[in-house]
Amino acid sequence: MADQGKPQGTLKTAPVQLQTIKVVAIGSDQLDPQDKKVICKAICYCNVNPNKGKSGNRDQHQSCVSERLGELDKFLNHQSPYKAEVNYDMHRNPPAPIMDKGIITKVHPYLPGWIKKHWEEEKGYSFEAGQGMVRRPDVVIVKDPNKPPTQDNIKQIVEIKFKDKISHGQETDYPIIAGDKSKVKRLDPDECDCGSDDDKGKTSTVLEYATWAAGVIAAALQLRKGKLPKLPKFPSPKPSPSPAW
């Protein structure tokens, strides 16, 4: 009978291979997935289908993006959370958005006219172009689309770049507009992963884009309220007519 007090052999074990878990930190200052999706869809379309200058030989990517986001804002009665090319009066503290007089959530359509009518009369000195008196971020995302894009209502500012770089003036002034440097973000076709597939709105019309984006916004609002978005009801197909014989 074997001695119960001694081991009967040597137990050999291999080290346990634990699965590596990749942890990705996402800061609170990152773009919301919905915001990135809507803006990136416009960027990806305009990356391959930019507007053309008067001569027809100059690509205007940014004006294309602004056109799409502007159409979305119009589609939503100027209550889109994405405001394209809002001009800010940098000689006010904090910088003030220049909005339409009749609709406070509508971007003023003609800056030269506003300057001619208001600048010198209100401030007592002339406006000087190119001196940073007015700044115009590419996109301002607002917290409450029923209110103008004042500093207290700015969720984030997004500067879009198509191979160009953020200027020193933009880098300095946009955090002043937003009230916080962490609220200023940069997007480009690479960040949007535009080349990954064809489902980026590369062939959609402006109206189709606005309709799609409005649906994304509506669904997100419903989900925030704890409700599932209502899907559109499509009419039942009509029966085929009887053959005439």
Side-chain angles (χ1 to χ4, degrees), residues 145-208:
N146 298 305
K147 297 178 181 179
T150 50
Q151 190 178 86
D152 59 339
N153 193 32
I154 293 177
K155 180 181 177 183
Q156 283 167 323
I157 285 177
V158 180
E159 188 63 13
I160 300 168
K161 293 300 176 185
F162 292 90
K163 298 181 180 179
D164 51 334
K165 296 181 179 180
I166 295 178
S167 70
H168 175 71
Q170 292 171 333
E171 193 172 17
T172 301
D173 289 346
Y174 288 178
I176 297 174
I177 294 172
D180 188 339
K181 185 178 180 180
S182 68
K183 289 184 178 182
V184 181
K185 300 299 168 189
R186 180 182 182 275
L187 272 182
D188 58 33
D190 290 336
E191 177 72 18
C192 289
D193 198 20
C194 290
S196 63
D197 56 48
D198 292 329
D199 187 25
K200 296 292 183 181
K202 295 177 183 176
T203 59
S204 63
T205 65
V206 174
L207 183 58
E208 287 170 343

Short mmCIF file of all heavy atoms in Angstrom, two decimals, residues 145-208:
data_model
loop_
_atom_site.label_atom_id
_atom_site.label_comp_id
_atom_site.label_asym_id
_atom_site.label_seq_id
_atom_site.Cartn_x
_atom_site.Cartn_y
_atom_site.Cartn_z
N PRO A 145 -31.55 72.64 -30.28
CA PRO A 145 -31.75 73.21 -31.61
C PRO A 145 -32.85 74.27 -31.68
O PRO A 145 -33.02 74.91 -32.70
CB PRO A 145 -32.11 72.00 -32.47
CG PRO A 145 -32.63 70.99 -31.51
CD PRO A 145 -31.91 71.21 -30.22
N ASN A 146 -33.57 74.46 -30.57
CA ASN A 146 -34.60 75.50 -30.53
C ASN A 146 -34.02 76.85 -30.10
O ASN A 146 -34.75 77.84 -30.03
CB ASN A 146 -35.72 75.10 -29.56
CG ASN A 146 -36.42 73.83 -29.98
OD1 ASN A 146 -36.92 73.74 -31.10
ND2 ASN A 146 -36.45 72.85 -29.10
N LYS A 147 -32.72 76.87 -29.81
CA LYS A 147 -32.06 78.10 -29.37
C LYS A 147 -30.90 78.42 -30.29
O LYS A 147 -30.36 77.52 -30.95
CB LYS A 147 -31.56 77.94 -27.92
CG LYS A 147 -32.67 77.71 -26.90
CD LYS A 147 -32.08 77.51 -25.51
CE LYS A 147 -33.17 77.25 -24.48
NZ LYS A 147 -32.59 77.03 -23.12
N PRO A 148 -30.47 79.68 -30.35
CA PRO A 148 -29.34 80.04 -31.22
C PRO A 148 -28.03 79.45 -30.71
O PRO A 148 -27.92 79.07 -29.53
CB PRO A 148 -29.34 81.58 -31.16
CG PRO A 148 -29.99 81.91 -29.86
CD PRO A 148 -31.03 80.84 -29.65
N PRO A 149 -27.00 79.39 -31.57
CA PRO A 149 -25.72 78.77 -31.17
C PRO A 149 -24.82 79.70 -30.36
O PRO A 149 -23.67 79.95 -30.71
CB PRO A 149 -25.10 78.42 -32.53
CG PRO A 149 -25.62 79.45 -33.46
CD PRO A 149 -27.03 79.73 -33.00
N THR A 150 -25.36 80.22 -29.26
CA THR A 150 -24.55 81.02 -28.34
C THR A 150 -23.64 80.08 -27.55
O THR A 150 -23.85 78.87 -27.52
CB THR A 150 -25.46 81.81 -27.39
OG1 THR A 150 -26.42 80.91 -26.80
CG2 THR A 150 -26.21 82.91 -28.14
N GLN A 151 -22.65 80.66 -26.89
CA GLN A 151 -21.63 79.83 -26.22
C GLN A 151 -22.23 78.84 -25.23
O GLN A 151 -21.79 77.69 -25.15
CB GLN A 151 -20.62 80.73 -25.51
CG GLN A 151 -19.41 79.98 -24.99
CD GLN A 151 -18.39 80.90 -24.34
OE1 GLN A 151 -18.49 81.21 -23.16
NE2 GLN A 151 -17.42 81.35 -25.12
N ASP A 152 -23.26 79.25 -24.49
CA ASP A 152 -23.86 78.36 -23.51
C ASP A 152 -24.65 77.22 -24.15
O ASP A 152 -25.02 76.26 -23.47
CB ASP A 152 -24.75 79.14 -22.54
CG ASP A 152 -25.88 79.87 -23.26
OD1 ASP A 152 -25.77 80.11 -24.48
OD2 ASP A 152 -26.88 80.22 -22.61
N ASN A 153 -24.90 77.33 -25.45
CA ASN A 153 -25.66 76.29 -26.15
C ASN A 153 -24.79 75.49 -27.12
O ASN A 153 -25.29 74.66 -27.87
CB ASN A 153 -26.84 76.93 -26.92
CG ASN A 153 -27.85 75.90 -27.40
OD1 ASN A 153 -28.08 74.88 -26.75
ND2 ASN A 153 -28.47 76.16 -28.55
N ILE A 154 -23.49 75.73 -27.10
CA ILE A 154 -22.58 75.01 -28.00
C ILE A 154 -22.17 73.68 -27.38
O ILE A 154 -21.61 73.64 -26.28
CB ILE A 154 -21.33 75.84 -28.34
CG1 ILE A 154 -21.72 77.06 -29.18
CG2 ILE A 154 -20.31 74.99 -29.10
CD1 ILE A 154 -20.55 77.98 -29.50
N LYS A 155 -22.47 72.62 -28.08
CA LYS A 155 -22.03 71.29 -27.67
C LYS A 155 -20.61 71.04 -28.15
O LYS A 155 -19.73 70.65 -27.39
CB LYS A 155 -22.99 70.23 -28.24
CG LYS A 155 -22.66 68.81 -27.87
CD LYS A 155 -23.68 67.87 -28.53
CE LYS A 155 -23.36 66.41 -28.26
NZ LYS A 155 -24.32 65.51 -28.95
N GLN A 156 -20.39 71.28 -29.44
CA GLN A 156 -19.05 71.14 -30.02
C GLN A 156 -18.94 71.96 -31.30
O GLN A 156 -19.94 72.26 -31.95
CB GLN A 156 -18.74 69.67 -30.33
CG GLN A 156 -18.37 68.86 -29.09
CD GLN A 156 -18.36 67.37 -29.34
OE1 GLN A 156 -19.19 66.85 -30.07
NE2 GLN A 156 -17.45 66.66 -28.72
N ILE A 157 -17.71 72.32 -31.63
CA ILE A 157 -17.39 72.95 -32.91
C ILE A 157 -16.56 71.95 -33.71
O ILE A 157 -15.63 71.35 -33.18
CB ILE A 157 -16.60 74.26 -32.70
CG1 ILE A 157 -17.54 75.37 -32.20
CG2 ILE A 157 -15.91 74.70 -33.99
CD1 ILE A 157 -16.84 76.68 -31.90
N VAL A 158 -16.93 71.77 -34.97
CA VAL A 158 -16.22 70.83 -35.83
C VAL A 158 -15.61 71.57 -37.01
O VAL A 158 -16.33 72.25 -37.75
CB VAL A 158 -17.17 69.72 -36.34
CG1 VAL A 158 -16.40 68.75 -37.24
CG2 VAL A 158 -17.81 68.97 -35.18
N GLU A 159 -14.32 71.46 -37.15
CA GLU A 159 -13.63 72.03 -38.30
C GLU A 159 -13.31 70.89 -39.27
O GLU A 159 -12.71 69.89 -38.89
CB GLU A 159 -12.36 72.75 -37.86
CG GLU A 159 -11.68 73.54 -38.96
CD GLU A 159 -12.52 74.69 -39.52
OE1 GLU A 159 -13.55 75.06 -38.90
OE2 GLU A 159 -12.15 75.22 -40.58
N ILE A 160 -13.75 71.05 -40.51
CA ILE A 160 -13.59 70.00 -41.52
C ILE A 160 -12.44 70.37 -42.44
O ILE A 160 -12.36 71.50 -42.93
CB ILE A 160 -14.89 69.83 -42.33
CG1 ILE A 160 -16.05 69.45 -41.39
CG2 ILE A 160 -14.72 68.78 -43.42
CD1 ILE A 160 -17.41 69.55 -42.04
N LYS A 161 -11.57 69.41 -42.68
CA LYS A 161 -10.41 69.68 -43.52
C LYS A 161 -10.29 68.63 -44.62
O LYS A 161 -10.36 67.43 -44.37
CB LYS A 161 -9.13 69.70 -42.68
CG LYS A 161 -9.06 70.86 -41.69
CD LYS A 161 -9.13 72.20 -42.39
CE LYS A 161 -9.16 73.37 -41.44
NZ LYS A 161 -9.36 74.66 -42.15
N PHE A 162 -10.13 69.12 -45.84
CA PHE A 162 -9.86 68.27 -47.00
C PHE A 162 -8.42 68.56 -47.45
O PHE A 162 -8.18 69.41 -48.29
CB PHE A 162 -10.84 68.58 -48.13
CG PHE A 162 -12.26 68.18 -47.85
CD1 PHE A 162 -13.13 69.08 -47.25
CD2 PHE A 162 -12.73 66.92 -48.18
CE1 PHE A 162 -14.45 68.73 -46.99
CE2 PHE A 162 -14.05 66.56 -47.92
CZ PHE A 162 -14.91 67.46 -47.32
N LYS A 163 -7.47 67.91 -46.80
CA LYS A 163 -6.04 68.04 -47.09
C LYS A 163 -5.45 69.38 -46.65
O LYS A 163 -4.24 69.57 -46.73
CB LYS A 163 -5.76 67.82 -48.58
CG LYS A 163 -6.13 66.42 -49.07
CD LYS A 163 -5.80 66.24 -50.55
CE LYS A 163 -6.18 64.86 -51.03
NZ LYS A 163 -5.89 64.66 -52.47
N ASP A 164 -6.28 70.33 -46.22
CA ASP A 164 -5.74 71.60 -45.73
C ASP A 164 -5.60 71.52 -44.21
O ASP A 164 -6.00 70.54 -43.58
CB ASP A 164 -6.64 72.77 -46.14
CG ASP A 164 -8.10 72.54 -45.78
OD1 ASP A 164 -8.51 71.36 -45.69
OD2 ASP A 164 -8.84 73.52 -45.59
N LYS A 165 -5.01 72.54 -43.63
CA LYS A 165 -4.72 72.54 -42.20
C LYS A 165 -5.48 73.66 -41.49
O LYS A 165 -5.86 74.65 -42.09
CB LYS A 165 -3.21 72.69 -41.96
CG LYS A 165 -2.38 71.54 -42.51
CD LYS A 165 -0.90 71.75 -42.21
CE LYS A 165 -0.06 70.60 -42.74
NZ LYS A 165 1.40 70.80 -42.46
N ILE A 166 -5.67 73.47 -40.19
CA ILE A 166 -6.29 74.51 -39.37
C ILE A 166 -5.32 75.68 -39.24
O ILE A 166 -4.14 75.49 -38.92
CB ILE A 166 -6.66 73.95 -37.98
CG1 ILE A 166 -7.74 72.87 -38.12
CG2 ILE A 166 -7.15 75.06 -37.06
CD1 ILE A 166 -8.14 72.23 -36.81
N SER A 167 -5.81 76.87 -39.48
CA SER A 167 -4.95 78.06 -39.40
C SER A 167 -4.71 78.44 -37.95
O SER A 167 -5.42 78.00 -37.03
CB SER A 167 -5.60 79.23 -40.15
OG SER A 167 -6.74 79.69 -39.45
N HIS A 168 -3.72 79.29 -37.75
CA HIS A 168 -3.41 79.75 -36.39
C HIS A 168 -4.59 80.52 -35.80
O HIS A 168 -4.93 80.36 -34.62
CB HIS A 168 -2.17 80.64 -36.42
CG HIS A 168 -1.84 81.25 -35.08
ND1 HIS A 168 -1.35 80.50 -34.02
CD2 HIS A 168 -1.97 82.53 -34.63
CE1 HIS A 168 -1.18 81.30 -32.98
NE2 HIS A 168 -1.54 82.52 -33.31
N GLY A 169 -5.24 81.34 -36.63
CA GLY A 169 -6.38 82.11 -36.15
C GLY A 169 -7.53 81.22 -35.72
O GLY A 169 -8.18 81.46 -34.70
N GLN A 170 -7.80 80.17 -36.51
CA GLN A 170 -8.86 79.22 -36.15
C GLN A 170 -8.51 78.49 -34.86
O GLN A 170 -9.35 78.33 -33.98
CB GLN A 170 -9.05 78.21 -37.29
CG GLN A 170 -9.63 78.81 -38.56
CD GLN A 170 -9.60 77.82 -39.72
OE1 GLN A 170 -8.77 76.92 -39.77
NE2 GLN A 170 -10.52 78.00 -40.66
N GLU A 171 -7.27 78.07 -34.76
CA GLU A 171 -6.82 77.33 -33.58
C GLU A 171 -6.92 78.18 -32.32
O GLU A 171 -7.21 77.68 -31.23
CB GLU A 171 -5.38 76.87 -33.79
CG GLU A 171 -4.90 75.85 -32.79
CD GLU A 171 -3.53 75.28 -33.15
OE1 GLU A 171 -2.82 75.90 -33.98
OE2 GLU A 171 -3.18 74.23 -32.61
N THR A 172 -6.70 79.48 -32.47
CA THR A 172 -6.75 80.39 -31.32
C THR A 172 -8.18 80.79 -30.96
O THR A 172 -8.56 80.81 -29.78
CB THR A 172 -5.93 81.67 -31.62
OG1 THR A 172 -4.58 81.30 -31.90
CG2 THR A 172 -5.98 82.62 -30.43
N ASP A 173 -8.98 81.09 -31.99
CA ASP A 173 -10.29 81.70 -31.75
C ASP A 173 -11.43 80.71 -31.54
O ASP A 173 -12.40 81.03 -30.83
CB ASP A 173 -10.66 82.63 -32.91
CG ASP A 173 -9.80 83.89 -32.92
OD1 ASP A 173 -9.15 84.16 -31.89
OD2 ASP A 173 -9.78 84.60 -33.94
N TYR A 174 -11.37 79.52 -32.13
CA TYR A 174 -12.49 78.59 -31.98
C TYR A 174 -12.71 78.15 -30.54
O TYR A 174 -13.86 78.04 -30.09
CB TYR A 174 -12.32 77.39 -32.91
CG TYR A 174 -12.54 77.73 -34.38
CD1 TYR A 174 -12.37 76.79 -35.37
CD2 TYR A 174 -12.91 79.02 -34.77
CE1 TYR A 174 -12.57 77.10 -36.71
CE2 TYR A 174 -13.10 79.34 -36.11
CZ TYR A 174 -12.93 78.37 -37.07
OH TYR A 174 -13.13 78.70 -38.39
N PRO A 175 -11.65 77.90 -29.75
CA PRO A 175 -11.88 77.61 -28.33
C PRO A 175 -12.52 78.77 -27.58
O PRO A 175 -13.28 78.56 -26.63
CB PRO A 175 -10.47 77.32 -27.80
CG PRO A 175 -9.71 76.86 -28.99
CD PRO A 175 -10.23 77.68 -30.12
N ILE A 176 -12.24 80.00 -28.02
CA ILE A 176 -12.85 81.17 -27.40
C ILE A 176 -14.35 81.19 -27.70
O ILE A 176 -15.18 81.50 -26.84
CB ILE A 176 -12.18 82.47 -27.90
CG1 ILE A 176 -10.71 82.49 -27.49
CG2 ILE A 176 -12.90 83.70 -27.35
CD1 ILE A 176 -9.92 83.66 -28.06
N ILE A 177 -14.71 80.84 -28.94
CA ILE A 177 -16.13 80.77 -29.31
C ILE A 177 -16.83 79.68 -28.51
O ILE A 177 -17.92 79.90 -27.96
CB ILE A 177 -16.27 80.49 -30.83
CG1 ILE A 177 -15.74 81.66 -31.65
CG2 ILE A 177 -17.74 80.22 -31.19
CD1 ILE A 177 -15.68 81.39 -33.14
N ALA A 178 -16.20 78.51 -28.43
CA ALA A 178 -16.82 77.36 -27.75
C ALA A 178 -16.80 77.50 -26.23
O ALA A 178 -17.63 76.91 -25.54
CB ALA A 178 -16.12 76.07 -28.16
N GLY A 179 -15.83 78.27 -25.72
CA GLY A 179 -15.70 78.41 -24.27
C GLY A 179 -14.85 77.33 -23.64
O GLY A 179 -14.63 77.34 -22.43
N ASP A 180 -14.37 76.38 -24.45
CA ASP A 180 -13.58 75.26 -23.93
C ASP A 180 -12.83 74.63 -25.10
O ASP A 180 -13.45 74.25 -26.10
CB ASP A 180 -14.51 74.24 -23.27
CG ASP A 180 -13.75 73.13 -22.55
OD1 ASP A 180 -12.56 72.91 -22.86
OD2 ASP A 180 -14.35 72.48 -21.68
N LYS A 181 -11.53 74.50 -24.97
CA LYS A 181 -10.71 73.95 -26.05
C LYS A 181 -11.11 72.52 -26.40
O LYS A 181 -11.03 72.10 -27.56
CB LYS A 181 -9.23 74.00 -25.64
CG LYS A 181 -8.27 73.57 -26.73
CD LYS A 181 -6.83 73.69 -26.28
CE LYS A 181 -5.87 73.26 -27.39
NZ LYS A 181 -4.45 73.38 -26.96
N SER A 182 -11.56 71.76 -25.40
CA SER A 182 -11.91 70.36 -25.64
C SER A 182 -13.16 70.20 -26.50
O SER A 182 -13.45 69.11 -26.99
CB SER A 182 -12.11 69.62 -24.31
OG SER A 182 -13.26 70.10 -23.64
N LYS A 183 -13.90 71.28 -26.69
CA LYS A 183 -15.12 71.21 -27.51
C LYS A 183 -14.83 71.38 -29.00
O LYS A 183 -15.74 71.24 -29.81
CB LYS A 183 -16.11 72.30 -27.07
CG LYS A 183 -16.75 72.06 -25.71
CD LYS A 183 -17.78 73.14 -25.43
CE LYS A 183 -18.47 72.91 -24.10
NZ LYS A 183 -19.51 73.94 -23.85
N VAL A 184 -13.60 71.69 -29.35
CA VAL A 184 -13.24 71.91 -30.75
C VAL A 184 -12.68 70.62 -31.33
O VAL A 184 -11.69 70.08 -30.82
CB VAL A 184 -12.23 73.06 -30.90
CG1 VAL A 184 -11.90 73.29 -32.37
CG2 VAL A 184 -12.77 74.34 -30.27
N LYS A 185 -13.30 70.13 -32.39
CA LYS A 185 -12.91 68.87 -33.02
C LYS A 185 -12.57 69.07 -34.49
O LYS A 185 -13.02 70.02 -35.11
CB LYS A 185 -14.03 67.83 -32.89
CG LYS A 185 -14.41 67.52 -31.47
CD LYS A 185 -13.23 66.96 -30.71
CE LYS A 185 -13.48 66.91 -29.23
NZ LYS A 185 -12.26 66.57 -28.48
N ARG A 186 -11.80 68.15 -35.01
CA ARG A 186 -11.42 68.18 -36.43
C ARG A 186 -11.89 66.89 -37.09
O ARG A 186 -11.73 65.80 -36.53
CB ARG A 186 -9.91 68.32 -36.56
CG ARG A 186 -9.39 68.37 -37.99
CD ARG A 186 -7.87 68.45 -37.99
NE ARG A 186 -7.31 68.55 -39.33
CZ ARG A 186 -7.05 67.51 -40.11
NH1 ARG A 186 -7.33 66.28 -39.68
NH2 ARG A 186 -6.54 67.68 -41.31
N LEU A 187 -12.47 67.01 -38.28
CA LEU A 187 -12.88 65.83 -39.04
C LEU A 187 -12.33 65.94 -40.46
O LEU A 187 -12.25 67.03 -41.03
CB LEU A 187 -14.40 65.72 -39.10
CG LEU A 187 -15.13 64.97 -37.97
CD1 LEU A 187 -16.63 64.95 -38.25
CD2 LEU A 187 -14.61 63.56 -37.81
N ASP A 188 -11.96 64.80 -41.02
CA ASP A 188 -11.53 64.75 -42.41
C ASP A 188 -11.98 63.42 -43.00
O ASP A 188 -12.49 62.55 -42.28
CB ASP A 188 -10.01 64.94 -42.52
CG ASP A 188 -9.22 63.90 -41.73
OD1 ASP A 188 -9.67 62.74 -41.63
OD2 ASP A 188 -8.13 64.24 -41.22
N PRO A 189 -11.82 63.22 -44.30
CA PRO A 189 -12.27 61.96 -44.92
C PRO A 189 -11.64 60.72 -44.30
O PRO A 189 -12.29 59.67 -44.22
CB PRO A 189 -11.87 62.14 -46.39
CG PRO A 189 -11.91 63.62 -46.61
CD PRO A 189 -11.40 64.21 -45.33
N ASP A 190 -10.39 60.81 -43.85
CA ASP A 190 -9.75 59.65 -43.23
C ASP A 190 -10.40 59.32 -41.89
O ASP A 190 -10.67 58.16 -41.58
CB ASP A 190 -8.26 59.91 -43.03
CG ASP A 190 -7.49 59.94 -44.34
OD1 ASP A 190 -7.98 59.33 -45.32
OD2 ASP A 190 -6.43 60.58 -44.40
N GLU A 191 -10.65 60.34 -41.08
CA GLU A 191 -11.29 60.14 -39.78
C GLU A 191 -12.69 59.56 -39.97
O GLU A 191 -13.17 58.78 -39.15
CB GLU A 191 -11.37 61.47 -39.04
CG GLU A 191 -12.09 61.42 -37.70
CD GLU A 191 -11.30 60.70 -36.62
OE1 GLU A 191 -10.07 60.53 -36.79
OE2 GLU A 191 -11.92 60.29 -35.62
N CYS A 192 -13.35 59.95 -41.07
CA CYS A 192 -14.69 59.45 -41.36
C CYS A 192 -14.67 58.07 -42.01
O CYS A 192 -15.73 57.47 -42.23
CB CYS A 192 -15.43 60.43 -42.27
SG CYS A 192 -15.90 61.97 -41.46
N ASP A 193 -13.47 57.58 -42.34
CA ASP A 193 -13.33 56.27 -42.97
C ASP A 193 -14.14 56.20 -44.26
O ASP A 193 -14.86 55.23 -44.51
CB ASP A 193 -13.76 55.17 -41.99
CG ASP A 193 -13.25 53.79 -42.40
OD1 ASP A 193 -12.29 53.73 -43.19
OD2 ASP A 193 -13.82 52.78 -41.96
N CYS A 194 -14.01 57.24 -45.07
CA CYS A 194 -14.83 57.35 -46.28
C CYS A 194 -14.56 56.25 -47.30
O CYS A 194 -15.44 55.91 -48.09
CB CYS A 194 -14.61 58.71 -46.93
SG CYS A 194 -15.29 60.10 -45.98
N GLY A 195 -13.37 55.69 -47.30
CA GLY A 195 -13.05 54.70 -48.32
C GLY A 195 -13.42 53.29 -47.95
O GLY A 195 -13.14 52.36 -48.70
N SER A 196 -14.07 53.08 -46.78
CA SER A 196 -14.31 51.71 -46.31
C SER A 196 -15.36 50.98 -47.12
O SER A 196 -15.27 49.80 -47.36
CB SER A 196 -14.72 51.73 -44.84
OG SER A 196 -15.94 52.42 -44.68
N ASP A 197 -16.42 51.68 -47.52
CA ASP A 197 -17.45 51.04 -48.32
C ASP A 197 -18.23 52.09 -49.08
O ASP A 197 -17.90 53.27 -49.06
CB ASP A 197 -18.39 50.21 -47.43
CG ASP A 197 -19.01 51.03 -46.31
OD1 ASP A 197 -19.51 52.14 -46.59
OD2 ASP A 197 -18.99 50.57 -45.16
N ASP A 198 -19.28 51.67 -49.76
CA ASP A 198 -20.06 52.59 -50.58
C ASP A 198 -21.27 53.15 -49.85
O ASP A 198 -22.02 53.93 -50.40
CB ASP A 198 -20.53 51.89 -51.86
CG ASP A 198 -19.36 51.56 -52.78
OD1 ASP A 198 -18.38 52.32 -52.75
OD2 ASP A 198 -19.43 50.55 -53.50
N ASP A 199 -21.47 52.72 -48.61
CA ASP A 199 -22.66 53.16 -47.88
C ASP A 199 -22.37 54.46 -47.13
O ASP A 199 -22.52 54.56 -45.93
CB ASP A 199 -23.10 52.08 -46.89
CG ASP A 199 -24.44 52.42 -46.24
OD1 ASP A 199 -25.20 53.17 -46.86
OD2 ASP A 199 -24.68 51.93 -45.12
N LYS A 200 -21.94 55.46 -47.86
CA LYS A 200 -21.59 56.73 -47.25
C LYS A 200 -22.33 57.90 -47.90
O LYS A 200 -21.95 59.04 -47.76
CB LYS A 200 -20.07 56.97 -47.36
CG LYS A 200 -19.23 55.95 -46.60
CD LYS A 200 -19.40 56.09 -45.10
CE LYS A 200 -18.51 55.12 -44.35
NZ LYS A 200 -18.66 55.22 -42.90
N GLY A 201 -23.36 57.60 -48.64
CA GLY A 201 -24.11 58.67 -49.26
C GLY A 201 -23.40 59.30 -50.43
O GLY A 201 -23.61 60.47 -50.75
N LYS A 202 -22.54 58.56 -51.10
CA LYS A 202 -21.74 59.14 -52.18
C LYS A 202 -22.56 59.47 -53.42
O LYS A 202 -22.08 60.18 -54.30
CB LYS A 202 -20.60 58.18 -52.55
CG LYS A 202 -19.59 57.98 -51.42
CD LYS A 202 -18.53 56.97 -51.80
CE LYS A 202 -17.57 56.72 -50.65
NZ LYS A 202 -16.58 55.68 -50.95
N THR A 203 -23.76 58.94 -53.50
CA THR A 203 -24.57 59.19 -54.69
C THR A 203 -25.91 59.84 -54.34
O THR A 203 -26.75 60.01 -55.21
CB THR A 203 -24.84 57.87 -55.44
OG1 THR A 203 -25.51 56.96 -54.56
CG2 THR A 203 -23.55 57.25 -55.92
N SER A 204 -26.12 60.20 -53.09
CA SER A 204 -27.41 60.75 -52.69
C SER A 204 -27.55 62.21 -53.09
O SER A 204 -26.57 62.95 -53.13
CB SER A 204 -27.59 60.62 -51.17
OG SER A 204 -26.61 61.37 -50.49
N THR A 205 -28.78 62.63 -53.38
CA THR A 205 -29.04 64.03 -53.65
C THR A 205 -29.06 64.80 -52.33
O THR A 205 -29.09 64.20 -51.25
CB THR A 205 -30.38 64.21 -54.36
OG1 THR A 205 -31.43 63.80 -53.45
CG2 THR A 205 -30.46 63.38 -55.63
N VAL A 206 -29.05 66.12 -52.42
CA VAL A 206 -29.10 66.95 -51.21
C VAL A 206 -30.36 66.66 -50.41
O VAL A 206 -30.33 66.51 -49.19
CB VAL A 206 -29.02 68.44 -51.57
CG1 VAL A 206 -29.20 69.30 -50.33
CG2 VAL A 206 -27.69 68.77 -52.22
N LEU A 207 -31.49 66.55 -51.10
CA LEU A 207 -32.76 66.29 -50.42
C LEU A 207 -32.77 64.90 -49.79
O LEU A 207 -33.26 64.72 -48.67
CB LEU A 207 -33.93 66.43 -51.40
CG LEU A 207 -35.33 66.25 -50.80
CD1 LEU A 207 -35.56 67.24 -49.67
CD2 LEU A 207 -36.40 66.41 -51.88
N GLU A 208 -32.22 63.92 -50.48
CA GLU A 208 -32.15 62.56 -49.92
C GLU A 208 -31.28 62.55 -48.66
O GLU A 208 -31.61 61.88 -47.68
CB GLU A 208 -31.59 61.60 -50.97
CG GLU A 208 -32.56 61.26 -52.08
CD GLU A 208 -31.91 60.49 -53.22
OE1 GLU A 208 -30.66 60.49 -53.31
OE2 GLU A 208 -32.65 59.91 -54.03
#
